[in-house]
Amino acid sequence: EVQLVQSGGGLVQPGGSLRLSCEASGFIFSSYWMYWVRQAPGKGLEWVSSISVRGNTQYYADVVKGRFTISRDNDKNTVYLQMNSLEPEDTAVYYCVKDPAAYKATYCLGGSCSVPDRNSNYWGQGTQVTVSS
């Protein structure tokens, strides 16, 4: 059974940092691109970042570029999202998502990605990030 179990998140002041983790099981983690997606209160889903199977290629949404860093540890079956210089606009529920196809960036083209299909992919349970003073 595929599982994506998230941890991290919480309440942080503007300018602060948080790290999200997503531990995978039930599939060959090192064969799949992974994504981070978020949903702010009252808004739709927004793609945040993606990482290749070996971690040597990362893509970021413009709104987080230079502040967030995606990484992965294939020995630990875990993908991370390091978030620095957090802003109130980063307040959202964050989800990690597995690509449906091995060795493919199904939702990425030309350095940018779209939100993975919620109904046909495996998603983590979500974790709340609140940036507020």
Side-chain angles (χ1 to χ4, degrees), residues 47-84:
W47 168 72
V48 175
S49 185
S50 306
I51 189 165
S52 60
V53 297
R54 294 182 181 179
N56 56 322
T57 300
Q58 307 96 32
Y59 298 143
Y60 298 95
D62 287 343
V63 293
V64 305
K65 199 171 295 183
R67 300 188 297 122
F68 290 12
T69 302
I70 190 171
S71 62
R72 67 190 295 160
D73 185 336
N74 286 343
D75 291 333
K76 296 182 178 179
N77 289 350
T78 301
V79 60
Y80 305 97
L81 186 68
Q82 177 66 44
M83 305 182 292
N84 298 331

Side-chain angles (χ1 to χ4, degrees), residues 85-120:
S85 302
L86 283 161
E87 303 168 353
E89 293 73 24
D90 296 316
T91 295
V93 177
Y94 286 71
Y95 300 91
C96 63
V97 187
K98 167 189 170 292
D99 197 287
Y103 301 104
K104 291 185 68 175
T106 301
Y107 298 97
C108 301
L109 182 65
S112 183
C113 307
S114 57
V115 175
D117 184 346
R118 188 73 187 254
N119 295 321
S120 62

